[in-house]
Amino acid sequence: MEQIKRPITAWAEDDRPREKLMLKGKSSLSDAELLAILIGSGTREESAIDLCRRMLNDYNNNLTELARQGVSNLIQYKGIGEAKAISIVAALELGQRRRMTEAIQKEQISCSKEVFELMQPRIGDLSHEEFWIILLSNSNHVRKVIANKEQQVSERFIEYKIKETLNISKGGMTGTVVDLRVLFKLALEHQATGVILVHNHPSGKLNPSDADIQITKKIKEASKIMDISLLDHFIVTEFDYYSFADHGLL
């Protein structure tokens, strides 16, 4: 006889995700339990929590990997229809936006980790390479973070008033090309006195390539002529970063 698992409603009250959140607080819930609250129900064979555990397990229990999945991927799971998939995608996107909001509220760069916190939610988990610049004032206040409205960059980056997004460059899996004329035109337009370069490595490798080192040298020489300080160049991956300045390459 086919075994039917007890629904969550048959569990002890303090084991049910919603009740557990009310009784013990949100931090007491596992990722699977939080996702189970979003989807509300599972199937006859699988509770909402078991379904979410299985789904997370397929993505190495990594919420970042899960957040990359679209609705079309999530509805492949029995028990996850379009409405539930949309709820999951929306909730994970809100988490990303909250992280970005917290990162940009400071608006002043004082250490390399703050650059990573500002840029990782934007480009850290992309499957292609993008090149961004951060334009700063004399006191290292962020004037603009530059990306590209024309490229496939999420519109969430356009929402923050202090950071209008416009582009420098976007490449493929292995590299990108930077237009120095565009870079310095933007810096001058926004009256920036300092520039931080940032690009991502989809491969996850942190060490700069020869091309990364050469373009940094080229921009540094040009910045001297323009009287604009090149403060740093960052390579960002999903979990870490490499700072040229921290490694003595500037």
Side-chain angles (χ1 to χ4, degrees):
M1 182 180 294
E2 183 181 3
Q3 184 179 3
I4 300 176
K5 295 195 175 184
R6 290 192 308 153
I8 291 175
T9 53
W11 295 10
E13 188 171 287
D14 60 354
D15 287 334
R16 302 176 200 169
R18 289 186 180 88
E19 286 78 0
K20 186 175 178 181
L21 187 149
M22 295 295 292
L23 291 170
K24 300 180 180 179
K26 59 188 178 183
S27 61
S28 68
L29 274 67
S30 66
D31 291 346
E33 289 172 325
L34 289 169
L35 286 172
I37 290 176
L38 289 174
I39 68 172
S41 61
T43 66
R44 282 175 57 83
E45 298 81 22
E46 204 171 30
S47 72
I49 293 178
D50 289 329
L51 171 55
C52 291
R53 283 183 183 139
R54 180 163 63 86
M55 187 162 52
L56 282 167
N57 186 62
D58 287 346
Y59 298 106
N60 302 311
N61 292 304
N62 187 323
L63 287 173
T64 300
E65 286 193 29
L66 180 61
R68 292 175 182 155
Q69 310 309 311
V71 171
S72 59
N73 287 340
L74 298 180
I75 60 175
Q76 302 304 313
Y77 290 88
K78 183 179 179 181
I80 301 291
E82 187 176 89
K84 292 180 180 180
I86 289 171
S87 294
I88 293 171
V89 170
L92 293 172
E93 173 65 10
L94 279 173
Q96 282 285 81
R97 294 190 186 193
R98 176 189 174 187
R99 184 177 175 188
M100 276 193 297
T101 301
E102 290 172 346
I104 67 174
Q105 281 176 341
K106 190 168 186 180
E107 297 183 32
Q108 187 174 25
I109 303 299
S110 60
C111 65
S112 57
K113 185 179 179 182
E114 290 176 355
V115 175
F116 174 70
E117 291 171 349
L118 177 66
M119 297 304 301
Q120 193 283 333
R122 300 175 179 234
I123 61 174
D125 61 354
L126 296 180
S127 59
H128 60 272
E129 189 169 306
E130 291 189 0
F131 193 101
W132 292 51
I133 62 172
I134 303 173
L135 305 179
L136 299 107
S137 66
N138 274 325
S139 56
N140 285 353
H141 278 84
V142 176
R143 287 190 177 275
K144 298 285 177 182
V145 175
I146 307 297
N148 190 354
K149 291 178 183 176
E150 302 298 323
Q151 306 288 359
Q152 296 176 7
V153 179
S154 173
E155 291 183 0
R156 68 182 180 226
F157 303 143
I158 301 171
E159 295 179 0
Y160 303 108
K161 294 181 181 178
I162 65 165
K163 297 174 179 62
E164 179 184 358
T165 56
L166 180 76
N167 200 15
I168 296 302
S169 183
K170 174 180 173 180
M173 285 287 292
T174 58
T176 187
V177 178
V178 182
D179 189 328
L180 269 66
R181 293 169 299 179
V182 174
L183 189 159
F184 287 106
K185 178 177 180 290
L186 290 167
L188 292 170
E189 283 178 355
H190 295 295
Q191 300 179 336
T193 58
V195 174
I196 294 176
L197 314 174
V198 188
H199 79 280
N200 61 312
H201 276 183
S203 66
K205 295 179 180 178
L206 281 176
N207 290 335
S209 65
D210 289 340
D212 294 336
I213 294 171
Q214 292 307 312
I215 191 63
T216 304
K217 289 180 178 178
K218 189 175 181 180
I219 294 173
K220 183 176 181 180
E221 289 304 311
S223 69
K224 292 177 182 177
I225 297 172
M226 305 300 295
D227 197 25
I228 296 172
S229 299
L230 176 58
L231 302 175
D232 208 338
H233 185 174
F234 282 80
I235 297 168
V236 173
T237 63
E238 184 176 349
F239 301 111
D240 209 349
Y241 67 92
Y242 181 100
S243 160
F244 278 58
D246 288 353
H247 286 81
L249 294 181
L250 278 181

